[in-house]
Amino acid sequence: MRITCVGGGPAGLYFAVLAKLADPAHDVTVLERNPAGVTYGWGVVFWDDLLDDLFAYDPVSARRISDAACRWDEYEVRATGKSVSHLPGYGFSLGRHKLLSILGTRASELGVDIRYSSDLSVVPDADLVVACDGAGSAIRSQDASHFGASVDMGRNKYIWLGTKHVFDTFTFGFEKTHAGWIWYHAYPFDDGTSTFIVECTPAVWSALELDRLDGAAGCARLETIFARHLGGERLIDHRAEAGGTGWMSFRRVTNQRWDNGNVVLMGDAAHTTHFAIGSGTKLAMQDAMALADAVASGAPLPVALERYEHRRRADLVPLQRAALASSEWFERMPEYADLPSAQFSYALSNRRGEYPLWRYLLHLSTQRSVPRAMLRSALSARRWNRARRRPDAEMGVPLLTGG
């Protein structure tokens, strides 16, 4: 089968890897608009469930991703006028550039033809065309009425920045300015860099003149606002450096149909989830797994694509619900700003409104150092146990550890 992936992000590259593993005779090509080694974005986050899946589908690339990832075992919440509080939970982060390098190398090892600086506006000639070219997919727009794409715009404004300040763990920071509240989501993804996403309401964005400042001046203003969090380091806006605009409103993309003949949507071209739950890359790579399974099943292509869509739509429902609730909480964030520190951070943690009472009691108790250390140790042991059960644990490969 001749397969072409339009878009060389994590979804396209990983599907190419899995297609080649399923059948080395497949002729697989990946087309990417950017030159080799060029990508916009900073770090991506994921959790153990994705690592479990990665090890099940391709232990080679999974081990490389695991070895390159940063780990954290709690969340820190900072807010003007409040003491620092903490939330339980652990995760992984990895530079987007590093992730693409790992997947690109693995794909090339298997014989995938990766073509950079490609024109993605034309539907290629192939038996299967996988449109994984992002939320604004040019391939999807070729037949927009068939796919029935719908885009709902989020209310808040946000910007995806980086900094050389390395945060100790995943951190939410809220600052009260003369114009109102503005906040960041930050996490380390290598030894020298962190992702730093800034978000605020449109009214605060305008009042701080962030709608009128160019990239450099806007970063300078944000550096002043968040100075106590940045340890003297600068904020970096790659999109502004490339002549674009860094500030965005989130686009929630859905589609009535995911396939059209031999063309199928994957990743952000098919669906988007708000960055507040950090699952975009995870969902895109799990799309790749489901599509690879469907194609490898031997069913006729229309049947395979229908099975893929059905499976992924079912899997997406709870996460899309969580993402919507999470984004709406941040749109209402000023309503929670007067809560005491522990109650505020719990409201942030429970923004889906689904936790039982014992979670609140646990949260209050773990704001003290000894119970907090005990919970972190328990989570670390849980992570170690989970890693021990993965496919390569019997091969003498070093296991994951917490912290």
Side-chain angles (χ1 to χ4, degrees):
M1 179 183 288
R2 292 179 303 135
I3 301 172
T4 299
C5 298
V6 182
L13 289 171
Y14 195 58
F15 174 73
V17 167
L18 298 184
K20 270 294 192 180
L21 286 172
D23 186 348
H26 284 324
D27 181 359
V28 184
T29 301
V30 175
L31 306 179
E32 167 55 34
R33 66 168 60 88
N34 291 321
V38 174
T39 184
Y40 297 104
W42 295 90
V44 300
V45 298
F46 53 96
W47 287 269
D48 275 311
D49 59 341
L50 179 63
L51 266 186
D52 293 344
D53 289 343
L54 293 175
F55 274 101
Y57 277 82
D58 178 28
V60 174
S61 59
R63 173 50 55 191
R64 294 172 186 176
I65 290 169
S66 177
D67 287 346
C70 292
R71 294 161 170 76
W72 68 83
D73 58 5
E74 68 176 358
Y75 296 80
E76 187 171 293
V77 183
R78 309 173 184 175
T80 302
K82 306 180 194 298
S83 59
V84 174
S85 56
H86 302 87
L87 301 172
Y90 51 83
F92 304 84
S93 51
L94 182 65
R96 180 176 170 84
H97 183 277
K98 182 64 175 179
L99 177 60
L100 295 180
S101 175
I102 290 171
L103 295 177
T105 298
R106 179 63 171 147
S108 296
E109 290 170 355
L110 295 170
V112 174
D113 180 12
I114 305 175
R115 303 176 187 176
Y116 295 98
S117 302
S118 295
D119 179 6
L120 305 191
S121 63
V122 178
V123 178
D125 179 23
D127 300 315
L128 173 62
V129 176
V130 184
C132 41
D133 51 339
S137 172
I139 297 299
R140 188 187 65 218
S141 68
Q142 302 275 328
D143 200 349
S145 61
H146 174 85
F147 290 109
S150 175
V151 180
D152 297 320
M153 301 301 293
R155 189 169 66 89
N156 280 358
K157 307 297 291 188
Y158 74 98
I159 187 169
W160 204 287
L161 305 172
T163 178
K164 292 299 182 183
H165 176 70
V166 180
F167 286 82
D168 293 331
T169 190
F170 196 112
T171 304
F172 295 100
F174 299 81
E175 283 291 331
K176 188 174 184 180
T177 70
H178 71 277
W181 287 90
I182 185 169
W183 56 92
Y184 65 83
H185 318 231
Y187 52 88
F189 62 82
D190 61 30
D191 291 338
T193 326
S194 299
T195 296
F196 196 90
I197 307 169
V198 179
E199 185 180 6
C200 61
T201 65
V204 170
W205 182 61
S206 297
L208 292 174
E209 299 182 331
L210 295 168
D211 57 338
R212 298 187 286 279
L213 298 174
D214 64 20
C219 279
R221 180 148 301 176
L222 294 175
E223 287 163 6
T224 300
I225 293 170
F226 295 116
R228 72 187 182 98
H229 304 269
L230 290 170
E233 295 291 349
R234 307 291 301 274
L235 291 173
I236 308 163
D237 182 357
H238 280 335
R239 291 186 181 274
E241 291 173 355
T245 176
W247 285 99
M248 298 172 280
S249 295
F250 181 75
R251 294 182 292 172
R252 183 174 179 268
V253 175
T254 58
N255 287 274
Q256 295 178 8
R257 287 167 293 278
W258 288 15
D259 66 277
N260 183 15
N262 67 329
V263 177
V264 64
L265 306 179
M266 187 168 66
D268 283 354
H271 53 80
T272 60
T273 54
H274 194 269
F275 58 84
I277 66 166
S279 294
T281 299
K282 164 190 161 178
L283 294 177
M285 296 182 76
Q286 289 175 332
D287 282 357
M289 298 170 192
L291 182 57
D293 285 344
V295 171
S297 70
L301 187 61
V303 175
L305 298 186
E306 182 179 353
R307 288 176 179 172
Y308 153 70
E309 179 179 345
H310 178 78
R311 171 179 164 183
R312 291 306 292 150
R313 282 192 187 276
D315 291 343
L316 284 165
V317 168
L319 277 169
Q320 288 178 324
R321 187 183 302 120
L324 182 59
S326 185
S327 64
E328 290 176 344
W329 188 93
F330 281 104
E331 291 176 355
R332 301 190 309 271
M333 178 268 156
E335 298 176 15
Y336 303 94
D338 292 333
L339 292 173
S341 176
Q343 286 90 330
F344 175 76
S345 57
Y346 182 75
L348 171 64
S349 174
N350 190 32
R351 51 192 182 270
R352 292 167 59 181
E354 298 177 349
Y355 286 167
L357 176 61
W358 67 264
R359 288 292 295 261
Y360 179 61
L361 300 176
L362 177 66
H363 173 70
L364 292 180
S365 69
T366 53
Q367 299 313 302
R368 300 192 300 271
S369 60
V370 173
R372 181 174 146 230
M374 292 173 64
L375 180 59
R376 291 177 71 183
S377 295
L379 291 177
S380 178
R382 179 180 174 184
R383 169 181 275 180
W384 183 87
N385 259 331
R386 192 164 186 166
R388 187 172 57 86
R389 296 194 297 269
R390 293 187 181 122
D392 70 343
E394 298 179 356
M395 300 164 56
V397 179
L399 297 175
L400 302 179
T401 58

